[in-house]
Amino acid sequence: MNHEPETSPDTEPERPPLDPEVQLLTQQLQAAHKRVNELAHAVQAGERDRTEFKERLTRERERMLDVEKGKVAVTLLEAVDQLDLCLQAADSSPLAKGVQLIRESILKQAEAVGIERVELAGHPFDPNLAEASDMELTTTPEEDGRVVLVLKAAYQLNGRVIRPGVVRVAKYVKAASA
């Protein structure tokens, strides 16, 4: 037969009183555990901050490189514009063919670094991509606000406009009845 006193789950069995020195050590141990947890959380937060800082620094460096690429590209694109002007007046001479090859080579190299020409002609005018330098009247309502002529091409680098285009935009006007 078992003569142990029965204890209910709601009550804890009685413990003999602890020695005051053991109580003090237990309190100090609990305080030390709490401090270790606080320090561990602080170290983890510091690591997160450091990682986020590195990522932000990398993004900023890439953005600055894109800005510098864009500055260099704009200079190159001005040369492409000059070549386009030469080709408008040129015939099918070997010199004109050479100019055309040089122009295509520059544009291919620009595309290789992420620079792309934005197609504006026939699309609705977007002031984020181009500047309207002139207006052309149209009697067709569907053409209202559309780019009818590109005077200077627009270019983007990684989705960011590095040089806005210069365009002529259609403006709808009702036809005059006679």
Side-chain angles (χ1 to χ4, degrees):
M1 280 184 133
N2 190 358
H3 292 297
E4 292 181 24
E6 289 187 26
T7 59
S8 69
D10 295 336
T11 60
E12 290 189 23
E14 288 186 30
R15 293 186 180 160
L18 293 177
D19 184 7
E21 196 172 313
V22 171
Q23 285 180 344
L24 178 65
L25 289 173
T26 303
Q27 289 173 352
Q28 288 175 346
L29 181 62
Q30 289 173 348
H33 278 296
K34 183 178 177 184
R35 182 68 180 146
V36 166
N37 286 338
E38 290 172 357
L39 291 174
H41 288 299
V43 167
Q44 289 171 345
E47 279 297 312
R48 268 193 314 273
D49 289 347
R50 188 178 73 81
T51 302
E52 290 170 4
F53 177 73
K54 279 176 56 177
E55 290 170 358
R56 189 173 61 243
L57 196 60
T58 300
R59 283 191 309 268
E60 184 67 20
R61 185 179 310 125
E62 288 171 0
R63 191 188 69 74
M64 290 302 292
L65 284 172
D66 282 350
V67 167
E68 291 304 314
K69 277 184 197 177
K71 287 179 182 178
V72 171
V74 167
T75 304
L76 222 86
L77 297 172
E78 294 298 327
V80 169
D81 288 343
Q82 296 302 316
L83 293 174
D84 285 342
L85 286 174
C86 290
L87 290 171
Q88 286 177 356
D91 53 9
S92 61
S93 68
L95 180 61
K97 289 179 183 176
V99 170
Q100 180 68 30
L101 288 174
I102 291 169
R103 179 191 175 278
E104 289 172 8
S105 173
I106 291 172
L107 288 176
K108 280 182 185 177
Q109 290 175 7
E111 284 177 15
V113 295
I115 298 168
E116 54 189 29
R117 192 174 191 148
V118 180
E119 186 59 41
L120 299 171
H123 295 284
F125 173 69
D126 182 353
N128 296 314
L129 297 174
E131 299 171 7
S133 71
D134 198 7
M135 195 182 328
E136 185 174 298
L137 299 179
T138 181
T139 56
T140 310
E142 294 81 29
E143 290 181 12
D144 187 41
R146 293 206 177 271
V147 175
V148 291
L149 179 67
V150 177
L151 303 169
K152 196 173 186 182
Y155 291 90
Q156 290 182 331
L157 173 63
N158 298 328
R160 188 177 65 84
V161 176
I162 58 172
R163 189 183 85 176
V166 178
V167 298
R168 184 177 296 161
V169 181
K171 174 71 176 161
Y172 171 69
V173 177
K174 280 187 176 181
S177 50

mmCIF file of all heavy atoms in Angstrom, residues 45-84:
data_model
loop_
_atom_site.group_PDB
_atom_site.id
_atom_site.type_symbol
_atom_site.label_atom_id
_atom_site.label_comp_id
_atom_site.label_asym_id
_atom_site.label_seq_id
_atom_site.Cartn_x
_atom_site.Cartn_y
_atom_site.Cartn_z
ATOM 1 N N ALA A 45 19.806 42.095 -33.268
ATOM 2 C CA ALA A 45 19.354 43.367 -33.858
ATOM 3 C C ALA A 45 20.520 44.075 -34.541
ATOM 4 O O ALA A 45 20.367 44.636 -35.632
ATOM 5 C CB ALA A 45 18.739 44.258 -32.785
ATOM 6 N N GLY A 46 21.688 44.041 -33.918
ATOM 7 C CA GLY A 46 22.881 44.647 -34.515
ATOM 8 C C GLY A 46 23.260 43.966 -35.825
ATOM 9 O O GLY A 46 23.624 44.637 -36.800
ATOM 10 N N GLU A 47 23.152 42.671 -35.872
ATOM 11 C CA GLU A 47 23.450 41.920 -37.103
ATOM 12 C C GLU A 47 22.450 42.278 -38.202
ATOM 13 O O GLU A 47 22.828 42.450 -39.354
ATOM 14 C CB GLU A 47 23.422 40.415 -36.842
ATOM 15 C CG GLU A 47 24.687 39.874 -36.237
ATOM 16 C CD GLU A 47 25.880 40.045 -37.142
ATOM 17 O OE1 GLU A 47 25.807 39.723 -38.351
ATOM 18 O OE2 GLU A 47 26.914 40.529 -36.645
ATOM 19 N N ARG A 48 21.167 42.375 -37.830
ATOM 20 C CA ARG A 48 20.146 42.769 -38.808
ATOM 21 C C ARG A 48 20.438 44.159 -39.352
ATOM 22 O O ARG A 48 20.366 44.397 -40.556
ATOM 23 C CB ARG A 48 18.752 42.753 -38.164
ATOM 24 C CG ARG A 48 18.014 41.446 -38.302
ATOM 25 C CD ARG A 48 16.534 41.598 -37.925
ATOM 26 N NE ARG A 48 16.293 42.337 -36.692
ATOM 27 C CZ ARG A 48 16.268 41.808 -35.477
ATOM 28 N NH1 ARG A 48 16.474 40.521 -35.317
ATOM 29 N NH2 ARG A 48 16.043 42.560 -34.423
ATOM 30 N N ASP A 49 20.764 45.087 -38.451
ATOM 31 C CA ASP A 49 21.072 46.452 -38.880
ATOM 32 C C ASP A 49 22.278 46.484 -39.805
ATOM 33 O O ASP A 49 22.291 47.199 -40.804
ATOM 34 C CB ASP A 49 21.331 47.358 -37.670
ATOM 35 C CG ASP A 49 20.075 47.663 -36.872
ATOM 36 O OD1 ASP A 49 18.965 47.373 -37.386
ATOM 37 O OD2 ASP A 49 20.206 48.169 -35.741
ATOM 38 N N ARG A 50 23.294 45.705 -39.483
ATOM 39 C CA ARG A 50 24.506 45.665 -40.302
ATOM 40 C C ARG A 50 24.197 45.107 -41.694
ATOM 41 O O ARG A 50 24.633 45.643 -42.708
ATOM 42 C CB ARG A 50 25.584 44.809 -39.622
ATOM 43 C CG ARG A 50 26.940 44.855 -40.307
ATOM 44 C CD ARG A 50 27.968 44.012 -39.556
ATOM 45 N NE ARG A 50 27.751 42.602 -39.708
ATOM 46 C CZ ARG A 50 28.145 41.897 -40.767
ATOM 47 N NH1 ARG A 50 28.765 42.481 -41.753
ATOM 48 N NH2 ARG A 50 27.922 40.607 -40.825
ATOM 49 N N THR A 51 23.391 44.049 -41.738
ATOM 50 C CA THR A 51 23.013 43.451 -43.021
ATOM 51 C C THR A 51 22.190 44.430 -43.850
ATOM 52 O O THR A 51 22.442 44.599 -45.050
ATOM 53 C CB THR A 51 22.207 42.160 -42.782
ATOM 54 O OG1 THR A 51 23.002 41.253 -42.004
ATOM 55 C CG2 THR A 51 21.812 41.497 -44.081
ATOM 56 N N GLU A 52 21.228 45.090 -43.214
ATOM 57 C CA GLU A 52 20.410 46.076 -43.925
ATOM 58 C C GLU A 52 21.264 47.235 -44.429
ATOM 59 O O GLU A 52 21.059 47.738 -45.529
ATOM 60 C CB GLU A 52 19.292 46.589 -43.027
ATOM 61 C CG GLU A 52 18.220 45.552 -42.753
ATOM 62 C CD GLU A 52 17.234 45.980 -41.678
ATOM 63 O OE1 GLU A 52 17.332 47.140 -41.190
ATOM 64 O OE2 GLU A 52 16.378 45.160 -41.319
ATOM 65 N N PHE A 53 22.243 47.662 -43.623
ATOM 66 C CA PHE A 53 23.135 48.746 -44.027
ATOM 67 C C PHE A 53 23.960 48.333 -45.246
ATOM 68 O O PHE A 53 24.112 49.109 -46.194
ATOM 69 C CB PHE A 53 24.056 49.144 -42.872
ATOM 70 C CG PHE A 53 25.053 50.194 -43.240
ATOM 71 C CD1 PHE A 53 24.650 51.517 -43.419
ATOM 72 C CD2 PHE A 53 26.385 49.869 -43.424
ATOM 73 C CE1 PHE A 53 25.575 52.487 -43.771
ATOM 74 C CE2 PHE A 53 27.302 50.835 -43.783
ATOM 75 C CZ PHE A 53 26.908 52.151 -43.952
ATOM 76 N N LYS A 54 24.478 47.112 -45.229
ATOM 77 C CA LYS A 54 25.257 46.621 -46.374
ATOM 78 C C LYS A 54 24.405 46.580 -47.633
ATOM 79 O O LYS A 54 24.857 46.971 -48.714
ATOM 80 C CB LYS A 54 25.821 45.226 -46.075
ATOM 81 C CG LYS A 54 27.073 45.230 -45.239
ATOM 82 C CD LYS A 54 27.560 43.847 -44.883
ATOM 83 C CE LYS A 54 27.794 42.959 -46.047
ATOM 84 N NZ LYS A 54 28.339 41.649 -45.704
ATOM 85 N N GLU A 55 23.165 46.103 -47.509
ATOM 86 C CA GLU A 55 22.269 46.041 -48.663
ATOM 87 C C GLU A 55 21.946 47.437 -49.186
ATOM 88 O O GLU A 55 21.946 47.674 -50.386
ATOM 89 C CB GLU A 55 20.978 45.301 -48.290
ATOM 90 C CG GLU A 55 21.177 43.824 -48.059
ATOM 91 C CD GLU A 55 19.958 43.140 -47.463
ATOM 92 O OE1 GLU A 55 18.940 43.833 -47.182
ATOM 93 O OE2 GLU A 55 20.025 41.911 -47.272
ATOM 94 N N ARG A 56 21.691 48.376 -48.268
ATOM 95 C CA ARG A 56 21.397 49.750 -48.666
ATOM 96 C C ARG A 56 22.606 50.386 -49.347
ATOM 97 O O ARG A 56 22.477 51.082 -50.355
ATOM 98 C CB ARG A 56 20.977 50.565 -47.441
ATOM 99 C CG ARG A 56 20.443 51.935 -47.788
ATOM 100 C CD ARG A 56 19.862 52.682 -46.589
ATOM 101 N NE ARG A 56 20.849 52.919 -45.564
ATOM 102 C CZ ARG A 56 20.810 52.424 -44.332
ATOM 103 N NH1 ARG A 56 19.816 51.642 -43.971
ATOM 104 N NH2 ARG A 56 21.743 52.698 -43.451
ATOM 105 N N LEU A 57 23.788 50.121 -48.818
ATOM 106 C CA LEU A 57 25.025 50.637 -49.407
ATOM 107 C C LEU A 57 25.238 50.066 -50.810
ATOM 108 O O LEU A 57 25.611 50.801 -51.734
ATOM 109 C CB LEU A 57 26.211 50.272 -48.501
ATOM 110 C CG LEU A 57 27.506 51.008 -48.712
ATOM 111 C CD1 LEU A 57 27.321 52.495 -48.506
ATOM 112 C CD2 LEU A 57 28.558 50.479 -47.749
ATOM 113 N N THR A 58 24.953 48.792 -50.996
ATOM 114 C CA THR A 58 25.087 48.154 -52.309
ATOM 115 C C THR A 58 24.101 48.770 -53.293
ATOM 116 O O THR A 58 24.469 49.085 -54.429
ATOM 117 C CB THR A 58 24.848 46.640 -52.194
ATOM 118 O OG1 THR A 58 25.823 46.089 -51.294
ATOM 119 C CG2 THR A 58 24.960 45.958 -53.534
ATOM 120 N N ARG A 59 22.848 48.958 -52.861
ATOM 121 C CA ARG A 59 21.848 49.582 -53.739
ATOM 122 C C ARG A 59 22.268 50.997 -54.116
ATOM 123 O O ARG A 59 22.144 51.405 -55.269
ATOM 124 C CB ARG A 59 20.473 49.614 -53.059
ATOM 125 C CG ARG A 59 19.748 48.292 -53.046
ATOM 126 C CD ARG A 59 18.294 48.453 -52.607
ATOM 127 N NE ARG A 59 18.124 49.192 -51.368
ATOM 128 C CZ ARG A 59 18.055 48.657 -50.165
ATOM 129 N NH1 ARG A 59 18.162 47.358 -50.011
ATOM 130 N NH2 ARG A 59 17.881 49.414 -49.095
ATOM 131 N N GLU A 60 22.777 51.745 -53.156
ATOM 132 C CA GLU A 60 23.204 53.128 -53.413
ATOM 133 C C GLU A 60 24.388 53.152 -54.377
ATOM 134 O O GLU A 60 24.438 53.986 -55.277
ATOM 135 C CB GLU A 60 23.576 53.813 -52.093
ATOM 136 C CG GLU A 60 23.940 55.256 -52.236
ATOM 137 C CD GLU A 60 22.780 56.138 -52.662
ATOM 138 O OE1 GLU A 60 21.611 55.741 -52.501
ATOM 139 O OE2 GLU A 60 23.058 57.239 -53.171
ATOM 140 N N ARG A 61 25.304 52.239 -54.206
ATOM 141 C CA ARG A 61 26.466 52.163 -55.106
ATOM 142 C C ARG A 61 26.015 51.839 -56.533
ATOM 143 O O ARG A 61 26.473 52.461 -57.491
ATOM 144 C CB ARG A 61 27.453 51.100 -54.613
ATOM 145 C CG ARG A 61 28.727 51.050 -55.425
ATOM 146 C CD ARG A 61 29.723 50.003 -54.929
ATOM 147 N NE ARG A 61 29.952 50.089 -53.501
ATOM 148 C CZ ARG A 61 29.799 49.068 -52.650
ATOM 149 N NH1 ARG A 61 29.398 47.889 -53.092
ATOM 150 N NH2 ARG A 61 30.040 49.219 -51.377
ATOM 151 N N GLU A 62 25.087 50.879 -56.668
ATOM 152 C CA GLU A 62 24.573 50.527 -57.996
ATOM 153 C C GLU A 62 23.836 51.699 -58.624
ATOM 154 O O GLU A 62 23.966 51.956 -59.815
ATOM 155 C CB GLU A 62 23.654 49.312 -57.895
ATOM 156 C CG GLU A 62 24.393 48.033 -57.618
ATOM 157 C CD GLU A 62 23.476 46.860 -57.308
ATOM 158 O OE1 GLU A 62 22.231 47.044 -57.312
ATOM 159 O OE2 GLU A 62 24.000 45.762 -57.061
ATOM 160 N N ARG A 63 23.072 52.441 -57.817
ATOM 161 C CA ARG A 63 22.362 53.595 -58.334
ATOM 162 C C ARG A 63 23.343 54.665 -58.813
ATOM 163 O O ARG A 63 23.157 55.262 -59.880
ATOM 164 C CB ARG A 63 21.434 54.177 -57.265
ATOM 165 C CG ARG A 63 20.458 55.216 -57.813
ATOM 166 C CD ARG A 63 19.686 55.912 -56.711
ATOM 167 N NE ARG A 63 20.496 56.773 -55.889
ATOM 168 C CZ ARG A 63 20.962 57.962 -56.261
ATOM 169 N NH1 ARG A 63 20.716 58.421 -57.445
ATOM 170 N NH2 ARG A 63 21.684 58.693 -55.427
ATOM 171 N N MET A 64 24.391 54.890 -58.049
ATOM 172 C CA MET A 64 25.398 55.885 -58.445
ATOM 173 C C MET A 64 26.115 55.457 -59.724
ATOM 174 O O MET A 64 26.401 56.293 -60.590
ATOM 175 C CB MET A 64 26.405 56.102 -57.316
ATOM 176 C CG MET A 64 25.825 56.815 -56.103
ATOM 177 S SD MET A 64 25.122 58.433 -56.492
ATOM 178 C CE MET A 64 26.572 59.342 -56.923
ATOM 179 N N LEU A 65 26.396 54.174 -59.862
ATOM 180 C CA LEU A 65 27.013 53.682 -61.090
ATOM 181 C C LEU A 65 26.081 53.886 -62.276
ATOM 182 O O LEU A 65 26.529 54.270 -63.364
ATOM 183 C CB LEU A 65 27.384 52.205 -60.956
ATOM 184 C CG LEU A 65 28.624 51.898 -60.121
ATOM 185 C CD1 LEU A 65 28.770 50.401 -59.910
ATOM 186 C CD2 LEU A 65 29.863 52.467 -60.778
ATOM 187 N N ASP A 66 24.787 53.643 -62.073
ATOM 188 C CA ASP A 66 23.811 53.865 -63.147
ATOM 189 C C ASP A 66 23.765 55.341 -63.539
ATOM 190 O O ASP A 66 23.671 55.677 -64.715
ATOM 191 C CB ASP A 66 22.417 53.396 -62.734
ATOM 192 C CG ASP A 66 22.265 51.888 -62.822
ATOM 193 O OD1 ASP A 66 23.161 51.226 -63.370
ATOM 194 O OD2 ASP A 66 21.238 51.370 -62.323
ATOM 195 N N VAL A 67 23.832 56.235 -62.549
ATOM 196 C CA VAL A 67 23.818 57.670 -62.841
ATOM 197 C C VAL A 67 25.045 58.039 -63.675
ATOM 198 O O VAL A 67 24.940 58.757 -64.672
ATOM 199 C CB VAL A 67 23.768 58.497 -61.534
ATOM 200 C CG1 VAL A 67 24.079 59.956 -61.785
ATOM 201 C CG2 VAL A 67 22.407 58.345 -60.869
ATOM 202 N N GLU A 68 26.202 57.522 -63.295
ATOM 203 C CA GLU A 68 27.429 57.820 -64.046
ATOM 204 C C GLU A 68 27.384 57.215 -65.446
ATOM 205 O O GLU A 68 27.793 57.852 -66.407
ATOM 206 C CB GLU A 68 28.666 57.335 -63.279
ATOM 207 C CG GLU A 68 28.937 58.128 -62.017
ATOM 208 C CD GLU A 68 29.077 59.623 -62.282
ATOM 209 O OE1 GLU A 68 29.776 60.028 -63.232
ATOM 210 O OE2 GLU A 68 28.469 60.399 -61.525
ATOM 211 N N LYS A 69 26.876 55.982 -65.550
ATOM 212 C CA LYS A 69 26.709 55.376 -66.877
ATOM 213 C C LYS A 69 25.801 56.237 -67.730
ATOM 214 O O LYS A 69 26.052 56.433 -68.919
ATOM 215 C CB LYS A 69 26.081 53.977 -66.766
ATOM 216 C CG LYS A 69 27.017 52.868 -66.469
ATOM 217 C CD LYS A 69 26.213 51.568 -66.513
ATOM 218 C CE LYS A 69 26.892 50.431 -65.853
ATOM 219 N NZ LYS A 69 26.063 49.209 -65.839
ATOM 220 N N GLY A 70 24.736 56.739 -67.132
ATOM 221 C CA GLY A 70 23.782 57.579 -67.846
ATOM 222 C C GLY A 70 24.431 58.852 -68.357
ATOM 223 O O GLY A 70 24.173 59.284 -69.482
ATOM 224 N N LYS A 71 25.292 59.460 -67.540
ATOM 225 C CA LYS A 71 25.974 60.691 -67.966
ATOM 226 C C LYS A 71 26.872 60.429 -69.163
ATOM 227 O O LYS A 71 26.889 61.203 -70.118
ATOM 228 C CB LYS A 71 26.793 61.265 -66.810
ATOM 229 C CG LYS A 71 25.956 61.904 -65.732
ATOM 230 C CD LYS A 71 26.839 62.424 -64.611
ATOM 231 C CE LYS A 71 26.019 63.026 -63.488
ATOM 232 N NZ LYS A 71 26.866 63.479 -62.372
ATOM 233 N N VAL A 72 27.613 59.334 -69.110
ATOM 234 C CA VAL A 72 28.481 58.978 -70.227
ATOM 235 C C VAL A 72 27.642 58.633 -71.451
ATOM 236 O O VAL A 72 27.953 59.038 -72.575
ATOM 237 C CB VAL A 72 29.403 57.791 -69.842
ATOM 238 C CG1 VAL A 72 30.153 57.269 -71.043
ATOM 239 C CG2 VAL A 72 30.373 58.212 -68.741
ATOM 240 N N ALA A 73 26.557 57.921 -71.223
ATOM 241 C CA ALA A 73 25.696 57.499 -72.325
ATOM 242 C C ALA A 73 25.077 58.693 -73.039
ATOM 243 O O ALA A 73 24.975 58.694 -74.264
ATOM 244 C CB ALA A 73 24.605 56.565 -71.809
ATOM 245 N N VAL A 74 24.680 59.708 -72.295
ATOM 246 C CA VAL A 74 24.064 60.878 -72.916
ATOM 247 C C VAL A 74 25.048 61.528 -73.885
ATOM 248 O O VAL A 74 24.669 61.943 -74.988
ATOM 249 C CB VAL A 74 23.572 61.882 -71.839
ATOM 250 C CG1 VAL A 74 23.235 63.225 -72.446
ATOM 251 C CG2 VAL A 74 22.372 61.309 -71.114
ATOM 252 N N THR A 75 26.302 61.594 -73.517
ATOM 253 C CA THR A 75 27.319 62.144 -74.414
ATOM 254 C C THR A 75 27.421 61.303 -75.677
ATOM 255 O O THR A 75 27.484 61.833 -76.788
ATOM 256 C CB THR A 75 28.684 62.184 -73.696
ATOM 257 O OG1 THR A 75 28.544 62.930 -72.498
ATOM 258 C CG2 THR A 75 29.747 62.795 -74.565
ATOM 259 N N LEU A 76 27.420 60.002 -75.507
ATOM 260 C CA LEU A 76 27.482 59.096 -76.647
ATOM 261 C C LEU A 76 26.237 59.218 -77.516
ATOM 262 O O LEU A 76 26.324 59.181 -78.746
ATOM 263 C CB LEU A 76 27.601 57.655 -76.135
ATOM 264 C CG LEU A 76 28.574 56.777 -76.864
ATOM 265 C CD1 LEU A 76 29.950 56.986 -76.264
ATOM 266 C CD2 LEU A 76 28.152 55.348 -76.732
ATOM 267 N N LEU A 77 25.089 59.379 -76.891
ATOM 268 C CA LEU A 77 23.837 59.477 -77.630
ATOM 269 C C LEU A 77 23.755 60.774 -78.433
ATOM 270 O O LEU A 77 23.128 60.810 -79.490
ATOM 271 C CB LEU A 77 22.649 59.340 -76.682
ATOM 272 C CG LEU A 77 22.569 57.985 -75.973
ATOM 273 C CD1 LEU A 77 21.480 57.994 -74.920
ATOM 274 C CD2 LEU A 77 22.384 56.856 -76.959
ATOM 275 N N GLU A 78 24.405 61.806 -77.948
ATOM 276 C CA GLU A 78 24.476 63.049 -78.723
ATOM 277 C C GLU A 78 25.252 62.788 -80.019
ATOM 278 O O GLU A 78 24.893 63.309 -81.080
ATOM 279 C CB GLU A 78 25.146 64.166 -77.920
ATOM 280 C CG GLU A 78 24.353 64.621 -76.711
ATOM 281 C CD GLU A 78 23.002 65.214 -77.048
ATOM 282 O OE1 GLU A 78 22.861 65.850 -78.116
ATOM 283 O OE2 GLU A 78 22.072 65.038 -76.243
ATOM 284 N N ALA A 79 26.280 61.960 -79.932
ATOM 285 C CA ALA A 79 27.038 61.599 -81.140
ATOM 286 C C ALA A 79 26.161 60.798 -82.100
ATOM 287 O O ALA A 79 26.224 60.989 -83.317
ATOM 288 C CB ALA A 79 28.283 60.804 -80.759
ATOM 289 N N VAL A 80 25.330 59.911 -81.557
ATOM 290 C CA VAL A 80 24.406 59.142 -82.394
ATOM 291 C C VAL A 80 23.439 60.091 -83.104
ATOM 292 O O VAL A 80 23.135 59.910 -84.288
ATOM 293 C CB VAL A 80 23.640 58.087 -81.559
ATOM 294 C CG1 VAL A 80 22.509 57.469 -82.351
ATOM 295 C CG2 VAL A 80 24.598 57.007 -81.078
ATOM 296 N N ASP A 81 22.968 61.112 -82.380
ATOM 297 C CA ASP A 81 22.077 62.096 -83.009
ATOM 298 C C ASP A 81 22.769 62.793 -84.179
ATOM 299 O O ASP A 81 22.160 63.021 -85.226
ATOM 300 C CB ASP A 81 21.626 63.143 -81.991
ATOM 301 C CG ASP A 81 20.633 62.587 -80.979
ATOM 302 O OD1 ASP A 81 20.049 61.517 -81.238
ATOM 303 O OD2 ASP A 81 20.459 63.231 -79.923
ATOM 304 N N GLN A 82 24.035 63.128 -84.002
ATOM 305 C CA GLN A 82 24.781 63.776 -85.088
ATOM 306 C C GLN A 82 24.935 62.824 -86.278
ATOM 307 O O GLN A 82 24.827 63.240 -87.437
ATOM 308 C CB GLN A 82 26.157 64.242 -84.591
ATOM 309 C CG GLN A 82 26.095 65.304 -83.510
ATOM 310 C CD GLN A 82 25.347 66.539 -83.945
ATOM 311 O OE1 GLN A 82 25.528 67.029 -85.054
ATOM 312 N NE2 GLN A 82 24.473 67.036 -83.075
ATOM 313 N N LEU A 83 25.164 61.557 -85.992
ATOM 314 C CA LEU A 83 25.253 60.569 -87.076
ATOM 315 C C LEU A 83 23.905 60.441 -87.794
ATOM 316 O O LEU A 83 23.864 60.294 -89.019
ATOM 317 C CB LEU A 83 25.710 59.213 -86.527
ATOM 318 C CG LEU A 83 27.136 59.160 -85.990
ATOM 319 C CD1 LEU A 83 27.410 57.804 -85.346
ATOM 320 C CD2 LEU A 83 28.147 59.455 -87.078
ATOM 321 N N ASP A 84 22.803 60.501 -87.033
ATOM 322 C CA ASP A 84 21.473 60.450 -87.655
ATOM 323 C C ASP A 84 21.272 61.627 -88.606
ATOM 324 O O ASP A 84 20.720 61.471 -89.693
ATOM 325 C CB ASP A 84 20.378 60.450 -86.582
ATOM 326 C CG ASP A 84 20.246 59.116 -85.869
ATOM 327 O OD1 ASP A 84 20.741 58.095 -86.400
ATOM 328 O OD2 ASP A 84 19.640 59.097 -84.775
#
